[in-house]
Every structure is written in C-alpha cells, then in structure tokens.
Amino acid sequence: MDRDKLRTVVEGIPAGSWMSYADVCVAAGGFADEARAVNQRLMALEIAGAHRVLRADGRVAPTALGDPERARALLEREGLVFDERDRASQDARVRLAAEEVAEEVAA
C-alpha cells in the first residue's frame, strides 16, 4: 500500500465521519487483510485525521494510535455519536473506491 495514497485517504475523511481499517487499505490500493498493520503506519506517518479510522463495527480499537481514549475524545468533539455498545454510527461511515483516491493523488 502506497503511503501517499494512505495519507490522501485518511486526510480525506471528513470530520464527524469514519472509515474502517480495511476500507482504508482497499481505498489506498491495498488489500483488506493489511488492516492489522494500518494503525502502526498511521502512528509512524503521523497522518492528520488518523483518529477517524475505526474497527469495521465502529468501535475505537484498543490500540488506536497508542491512545484510544484520546482518539474517541477527538471523534466526539467532531460530533461523532457512539451508541451504548461504544459503536460509532454506520451512517457516518465513509467508503471510497481506489479510483477516487487515484484521482485525488493525481490532482
């Protein structure tokens, strides 16, 4: 997965919205099974908006950016609502096609 595409995808997630780790991988030209390594890449690259990447069920991962409480607080500050099971609304989930990302990177 290309780091520039990864950056473009994550920085493109609007405030108050979220994407899953697997969706980010696919949109950045990788494969869904690369999702396990995305959190480490987000931390290493210090990508803006990285707190908007969640588990597919909408929960903040226990290791999210090394500080899951901070990640959730940032999301809540942006207006993202979590239910009683700590899951963000699926209505706020963003899914991008790899082609859309390629157009962004080329522009």
Side-chain angles (χ1 to χ4, degrees):
M1 174 181 2
D2 180 81
R3 72 173 49 185
D4 291 331
K5 287 182 182 177
L6 177 63
R7 184 176 303 281
T8 299
V9 169
V10 174
E11 289 179 350
I13 303 169
S17 301
W18 65 279
M19 285 183 78
S20 75
Y21 290 97
D23 289 343
V24 166
C25 288
V26 172
F31 300 97
D33 62 356
E34 294 178 271
R36 289 189 176 117
V38 171
N39 188 54
Q40 292 299 318
R41 284 184 176 208
L42 295 175
M43 287 192 301
L45 296 172
E46 299 180 356
I47 298 175
H51 61 283
R52 299 182 188 123
V53 183
L54 305 176
R55 294 168 51 150
D57 65 2
R59 288 185 290 153
V60 176
T63 58
L65 304 176
D67 191 350
E69 291 81 20
R70 181 175 181 277
R72 180 172 172 147
L74 289 169
L75 290 164
E76 289 175 333
R77 207 172 304 144
E78 293 178 355
L80 190 62
V81 177
F82 290 84
D83 67 16
E84 65 281 347
R85 295 185 296 175
D86 294 326
R87 294 178 179 175
S89 169
Q90 289 290 326
D91 292 338
R93 186 173 181 176
V94 175
R95 289 193 170 113
L96 298 174
E99 296 80 30
E100 293 175 276
V101 175
E103 290 172 11
E104 284 279 324
V105 171

